[in-house]
Amino acid sequence: MDWGTRMFWGFMVWVAINLLWLRFLEPVASMWIGCAVAILGLVVTMVVLKRLYPFDAAPVGGR
């Protein structure tokens, strides 16, 4: 999986965590904490995807 794809999914995780934080946890904890948790989720997602899919797709034709 290439860097751009991992960044896309990391960003999607970041957005999802922030939206869920706003919906359920904003009265309890600050959005700054939610943003920090979301950034941690983005980094973890990118690292996990790199380990699950370590190689980019092979070009067509085998070369």
Side-chain angles (χ1 to χ4, degrees), residues 3-57:
W3 187 85
T5 305
R6 287 186 289 127
M7 188 66 188
F8 170 78
W9 285 111
F11 183 71
M12 290 295 109
V13 167
W14 185 83
V15 168
I17 290 173
N18 275 313
L19 289 176
L20 290 171
W21 195 278
L22 280 173
R23 175 65 177 102
F24 297 109
L25 296 174
E26 180 63 25
V28 177
S30 171
M31 190 61 212
W32 288 104
I33 297 170
C35 187
V37 170
I39 290 171
L40 182 65
L42 181 144
V43 171
V44 167
T45 300
M46 290 187 67
V47 169
V48 167
L49 287 177
K50 179 67 174 177
R51 290 187 181 175
L52 287 176
Y53 304 103
F55 304 109
D56 292 337

